[in-house]
């Protein structure tokens, strides 16, 4: 399965995933941890343990940066 991930405020990524991959797997494939990002499908958040069922999603980073 091929999924296009549009990162809010960032780039788009194309990801090739297994058919049983979850949204948490997709977040990891783009290089983030599931605790720092959420996936939106048609503008609504989806649970990380749900099997990917969309070919285009938005990734919203919940945590960015840190203390200096």
């Amino acid at each position: 399965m091929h999924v296009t991930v549009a990162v809010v405020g960032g780039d788009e990524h194309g990801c090739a995933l297994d058919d049983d991959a979850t949204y948490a797997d997709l977040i990891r494939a783009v290089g983030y941890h599931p605790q720092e990002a959420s996936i939106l499908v048609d503008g609504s958040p989806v649970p990380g343990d749900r099997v990917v069922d969309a070919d285009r999603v938005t990734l919203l980073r919940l945590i960015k940066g840190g203390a200096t």
Side-chain angles (χ1 to χ4, degrees), residues 9-68:
D11 298 328
E12 277 196 2
H13 301 269
C15 295
L17 301 170
D18 293 334
D19 289 338
D20 62 347
T22 64
Y23 283 105
D25 296 328
L26 179 58
I27 292 170
R28 287 185 191 96
V30 178
Y32 298 103
H33 190 279
Q35 291 181 341
E36 71 175 308
S38 288
I39 294 290
L40 306 175
V41 175
D42 295 327
S44 297
V46 293
D49 61 352
R50 183 167 132 186
V51 174
V52 176
D53 57 357
D55 59 357
R56 183 170 183 79
V57 301
T58 302
L59 183 142
L60 177 62
R61 291 189 62 193
L62 306 174
I63 301 170
K64 186 174 181 179
T68 55

